[in-house]
């Protein structure tokens, strides 16, 4: 049948490659599927190399006629399903290409090409009846928005930036926060299902189960097909989301292209196009403040009492990016050294204070506790302190300071 023929075509493409001149050549170590999966693995890390690998694969898929407009999803072979997302990965690689300064026109061209590829990808899924009712509606809404943008862009080739900005404001609103959260949660669930299917496939391989034997309700072909369809479900959601984001990016890129064109036009007719000062920046512009100084602003006011003019000059922009809080005056290493020196000084003072306290006059019981009762000078000084302490206790008997002791009823 047709499905078996397509599977055989994919298997027969194991040695099909293209050289730089577009001619076919045999490559024994690289099949079509291996080249495809190797390319899509680099869609984020190396988009340029990914595109270079996907373009000949696209020609191979067209040569093998893997897909037909009169077929349904049940007619496709399991090994052909991953190639349905070929245009999606090419579009993603185009969007991921870096755009340097002054390359907004190239960025615009890449995005327009990616929108065309996403349209081809989703159109094929619609023919295969893979898209849900909501996804089909979103796909047709994106097509209408793209056509509306192209009509506005073609009719506004010579328009100014204000016209482009007005068209930007007419873009449809972005998806709501709840819709984004729901899509994110659904994507997480699909990823979990894919991880479960991959774990089941690895377990089949470890156990050496025959392809026609079932395990957890799947034989080898059923498991591979379910895994491919689950991954395709994620790809179509990513395509719709990336298409919407790129569609909203286009008017802003077009505005930047217009601004670059106007800036070049003004430079060309300002008489400074060949001036080295223009190419080297405005460092030698006499109107520009010298480096390290801000813009000088002069305030002119009139004194109400004398009627004289008062001039006040302020320096602005030099302190714009200075923080409003106190900045550190030393490094952490300097702070640590200072704290260490202070700690050592405190320890030395504490030792000196303890040494002085030992030789200070004290009561005899304190001398005994410190083992200094053999020091005659300290014993004599302690006797004087003990006599003073006894005299004070005689003059101030216990309880003499309680003035309320003799008040109240003594029976209670």
């Amino acid at each position: 049948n047709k499905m078996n023929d397509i599977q055989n075509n994919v298997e027969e493409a194991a040695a099909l490659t293209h050289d730089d001149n577009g001619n076919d050549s045999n490559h024994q170590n690289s099949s079509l599927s291996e080249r495809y999966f190797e390319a899509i693995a680099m869609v984020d890390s190396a988009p340029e190399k990914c595109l270079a690998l996907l373009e000949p694969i696209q020609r191979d898929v067209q040569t093998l006629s893997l897909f037909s407009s009169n077929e349904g999803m049940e007619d496709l072979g399991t090994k052909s399903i991953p190639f349905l997302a070929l245009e999606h990965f090419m579009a993603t690689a185009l969007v991921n290409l870096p755009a340097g300064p002054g390359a907004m026109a190239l960025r615009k061209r890449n995005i327009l090409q990616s929108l065309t590829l996403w349209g081809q990808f989703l159109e094929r899924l619609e023919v295969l009846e893979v898209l849900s009712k909501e996804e089909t509606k979103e796909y047709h809404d994106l097509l209408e928005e793209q056509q509306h943008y192209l009509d506005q862009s073609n009719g506004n080739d010579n328009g100014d930036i204000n016209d482009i900005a007005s068209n930007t404001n007419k873009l449809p609103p972005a998806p709501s926060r709840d819709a984004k959260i729901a899509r994110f949660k659904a994507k997480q669930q699909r990823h979990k299902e894919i991880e479960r299917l991959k774990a089941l496939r690895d377990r089949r391989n470890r156990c050496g189960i025959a392809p026609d034997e079932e395990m957890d309700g799947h034989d080898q072909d059923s498991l591979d097909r379910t895994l491919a369809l689950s991954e395709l479900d994620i790809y179509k959601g990513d395509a719709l989301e990336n298409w919407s984001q790129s569609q909203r990016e286009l008017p802003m890129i077009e505005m930047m292209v217009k601004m670059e064109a106007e800036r070049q036009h003004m430079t060309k007719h300002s008489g400074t196009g060949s001036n080295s000062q223009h190419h080297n920046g405005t460092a030698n512009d006499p109107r520009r403040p010298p480096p390290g100084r801000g813009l000088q602003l002069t305030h002119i006011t009139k004194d109400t009492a004398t009627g004289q003019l008062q001039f006040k000059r302020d320096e602005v922009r030099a302190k714009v990016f200075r923080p409003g809080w106190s900045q550190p005056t030393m490094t952490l290493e300097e702070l640590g050294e200072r704290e260490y020196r202070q700690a050592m000084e405190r320890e030395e003072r504490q030792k000196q204070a303890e040494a002085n306290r030992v030789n200070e006059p004290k009561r005899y019981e304190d001398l005994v506790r410190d083992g200094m009762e053999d020091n005659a000078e300290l014993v004599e000084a302690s006797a004087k302190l003990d006599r003073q302490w006894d005299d004070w206790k005689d003059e101030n008997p216990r309880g003499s300071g309680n003035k309320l002791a003799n008040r109240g009823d003594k029976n209670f």
Side-chain angles (χ1 to χ4, degrees), residues 70-178:
N70 57 357
E71 295 176 342
M73 180 58 74
E74 64 277 0
D75 299 324
L76 291 182
T78 302
K79 295 183 179 180
S80 301
I81 294 177
F83 293 96
L84 289 172
L86 176 61
E87 285 78 10
H88 164 64
F89 285 109
M90 293 182 68
T92 305
L94 281 170
V95 172
N96 290 339
L97 287 176
M104 288 297 104
L106 178 60
R107 173 67 175 174
K108 178 183 176 181
R109 189 160 57 250
N110 290 338
I111 290 183
L112 289 175
Q113 186 177 355
S114 67
L115 296 184
T116 303
L117 290 169
W118 274 318
Q120 295 174 0
F121 168 60
L122 294 172
E123 180 183 9
R124 182 173 294 164
L125 295 187
E126 184 183 19
V127 172
L128 295 173
E129 298 180 352
V130 177
L131 298 180
S132 64
K133 184 182 298 184
E134 294 78 9
E135 291 169 341
T136 303
K137 182 179 181 304
E138 185 176 358
Y139 162 56
H140 286 285
D141 290 342
L142 290 171
L143 279 178
E144 293 179 2
E145 293 171 14
Q146 181 180 357
Q147 187 61 41
H148 175 72
Y149 166 77
L150 293 176
D151 294 340
Q152 293 288 338
S153 179
N154 293 332
N156 194 32
D157 289 337
N158 298 323
D160 58 8
I161 296 178
N162 294 327
D163 295 334
I164 300 175
S166 63
N167 292 333
T168 304
N169 296 329
K170 296 178 183 178
L171 285 174
S176 63
R177 181 174 180 272
D178 294 336

Side-chain angles (χ1 to χ4, degrees), residues 55-70:
E55 288 174 355
I57 294 175
Q58 187 184 37
R59 293 194 296 267
D60 292 343
V61 171
Q62 294 173 355
T63 302
L64 294 171
S65 300
L66 294 183
F67 310 112
S68 177
S69 59
N70 57 357

Side-chain angles (χ1 to χ4, degrees), residues 181-195:
I181 293 176
R183 175 170 288 182
F184 176 75
K185 290 183 178 179
K187 188 175 181 179
Q188 279 188 324
Q189 291 297 327
R190 289 193 292 266
H191 277 294
K192 291 180 180 179
E193 177 65 15
I194 289 175
E195 293 299 327

Side-chain angles (χ1 to χ4, degrees), residues 156-318:
N156 194 32
D157 289 337
N158 298 323
D160 58 8
I161 296 178
N162 294 327
D163 295 334
I164 300 175
S166 63
N167 292 333
T168 304
N169 296 329
K170 296 178 183 178
L171 285 174
S176 63
R177 181 174 180 272
D178 294 336
K180 291 181 179 179
I181 293 176
R183 175 170 288 182
F184 176 75
K185 290 183 178 179
K187 188 175 181 179
Q188 279 188 324
Q189 291 297 327
R190 289 193 292 266
H191 277 294
K192 291 180 180 179
E193 177 65 15
I194 289 175
E195 293 299 327
R196 187 187 70 83
L197 294 174
K198 288 182 177 179
L200 180 58
R201 184 180 59 184
D202 294 339
R203 187 168 53 163
R204 287 181 62 93
N205 295 333
R206 289 196 304 269
C207 297
I209 299 177
D212 55 344
E213 294 184 10
E214 288 192 1
M215 180 179 183
D216 291 345
H218 292 284
D219 58 10
Q220 186 65 47
D221 184 72
S222 173
L223 179 60
D224 292 340
R225 190 176 187 86
T226 304
L227 180 59
L229 291 176
S230 299
E231 292 177 339
L232 186 64
D233 198 25
I234 290 182
Y235 298 153
K236 66 180 181 180
D238 292 342
L240 290 170
E241 184 176 358
N242 294 337
W243 188 348
S244 177
Q245 293 176 355
S246 300
Q247 184 71 37
R248 299 184 64 83
E249 183 183 355
L250 270 176
M252 293 182 286
I253 292 179
E254 187 173 354
M255 186 182 302
M256 297 177 67
V257 171
K258 292 286 185 181
M259 292 174 62
E260 289 179 358
E262 289 186 3
R263 184 165 55 248
Q264 293 176 0
H265 180 75
M266 293 176 61
T267 302
K268 181 179 179 181
H269 294 85
S270 62
T272 59
S274 60
N275 193 349
S276 60
Q277 175 179 326
H278 171 75
H279 295 285
N280 296 330
T282 56
N284 299 323
D285 191 348
R287 296 170 298 178
R288 185 180 181 88
R293 289 189 58 187
L295 187 65
Q296 297 293 329
L297 180 64
T298 303
H299 298 274
I300 303 177
T301 58
K302 186 176 182 180
D303 193 341
T304 57
T306 61
Q308 295 181 351
L309 296 178
Q310 296 179 342
F311 298 88
K312 181 182 179 181
R313 178 170 295 178
D314 293 337
E315 185 174 320
V316 297
R317 208 177 70 175

